[in-house]
Amino acid sequence: MNVLLHHEMKNNKMNWIKTNDQPLSKEGSSGERVIVEMYSSNKNDTPTYRGTVKLNSGIGRIAFTLIDIDSKKKWVNRLTNHNLIEGDIFGVEYSTYEYYNLAWPVSDREYVLKAKWTIDNNAETPSAKLEISSTTHKKYPLRNDRVRGDLESLIFHLKEVSPETTEVTVEIKADPKGKLPKFLANQIQKNWPLTTLRALSKEVSQGEELHKFFL
């Protein structure tokens, strides 16, 4: 029996298996580390990957960086176009369109996404959760020159450790669709939490803007 399935059956709950443990900084082995884990309900299921790290930034600054359209193209790899469709990025719910210009021979990808914040400012330890998933919109029909990917779930969990330290956990489960081989799609997602948290850490250190939820 597959080891992962054995653990799941034994404990009757989700069991995450660590797949990577790397320093947050590419320059050295000291300091904060990013722990990457994987969960899959069975061998045919698209795996979910998550990464966890503590960032030297307040929760409001990180929340702002996650939704700021102007800066997102700086730190999200291959993101070429990012448009607000409906709602307010500083509100609880909104919808966006994202286009990724990928390297040949991989076809370009696009996503129509809905996002929702859950905020708890009144707890002893403030926390927030940003949930993002694929949706459809009449302004963005399918195109022949781009593959419409399916983002089943992307979740950013933010938990305040101190006013200047935030624990960030990101989970992703996606199907890029198209003709991308399954092993390659899985490898991209496997590396995504580490790459994203490193880029996010760099970006939050370069500004002071805060999400209004935490002002």
Side-chain angles (χ1 to χ4, degrees):
M1 179 181 291
N2 180 281
V3 173
L4 175 60
L5 295 180
H6 173 73
H7 285 314
E8 290 170 353
M9 293 175 64
K10 180 179 179 180
N11 297 310
N12 193 30
K13 63 179 181 180
M14 289 181 66
N15 284 270
W16 294 86
I17 296 176
K18 186 163 73 171
T19 60
N20 206 345
D21 181 349
Q22 294 288 331
L24 177 61
S25 172
K26 293 182 180 180
E27 285 71 36
S29 58
S30 61
E32 293 294 337
R33 301 184 70 83
V34 180
I35 306 300
V36 179
E37 299 168 294
M38 181 271 286
Y39 167 78
S40 180
S41 60
N42 59 70
K43 64 180 181 180
N44 296 316
D45 183 39
T46 301
T48 300
Y49 286 95
R50 76 178 180 189
T52 303
V53 72
K54 291 180 182 178
L55 298 184
N56 294 323
S57 183
I59 190 171
R61 171 61 187 158
I62 296 174
F64 174 88
T65 305
L66 291 177
I67 55 88
D68 181 46
I69 288 179
D70 291 336
S71 66
K72 200 165 185 179
K73 288 188 287 186
K74 299 177 183 178
W75 66 275
V76 177
N77 189 36
R78 296 278 181 179
L79 178 60
T80 303
N81 192 5
H82 183 211
N83 298 331
L84 178 66
I85 301 175
E86 290 181 345
D88 177 2
I89 60 170
F90 288 104
V92 174
E93 298 185 49
Y94 58 92
S95 301
T96 60
Y97 171 81
E98 296 183 356
Y99 163 58
Y100 292 80
N101 185 1
L102 303 180
W104 185 89
V106 180
S107 300
D108 293 349
R109 292 298 193 277
E110 65 174 5
Y111 295 86
V112 178
L113 304 170
K114 59 181 179 180
K116 180 179 180 179
W117 280 102
T118 302
I119 308 293
D120 189 353
N121 265 333
N122 298 318
E124 182 177 347
T125 302
S127 63
K129 179 170 66 173
L130 177 61
E131 299 176 88
I132 305 171
S133 60
S134 284
T135 187
T136 58
H137 198 279
K138 61 183 179 181
K139 291 183 180 179
Y140 291 89
L142 295 175
R143 300 172 51 143
N144 293 328
D145 61 336
R146 300 174 185 178
V147 175
R148 177 69 58 85
D150 179 21
L151 181 61
E152 183 172 330
S153 178
L154 171 59
I155 305 175
F156 287 91
H157 299 263
L158 312 180
K159 182 178 180 181
E160 183 178 278
V161 178
S162 73
E164 298 301 326
T165 306
T166 305
E167 181 180 83
V168 181
T169 298
V170 59
E171 299 180 17
I172 185 169
K173 182 176 183 179
D175 183 350
K177 298 295 186 178
K179 298 179 180 180
L180 198 65
K182 187 174 181 179
F183 79 90
L184 183 55
N186 185 56
Q187 186 63 35
I188 292 172
Q189 289 195 71
K190 182 178 180 180
N191 295 330
W192 191 89
L194 174 62
T195 302
T196 297
L197 289 172
R198 280 176 168 171
L200 177 62
S201 176
K202 181 178 179 180
E203 184 62 28
V204 298
S205 69
Q206 298 178 353
E208 298 179 351
E209 299 93 338
L210 305 178
H211 197 296
K212 69 177 184 179
F213 291 151
F214 300 94
L215 292 177

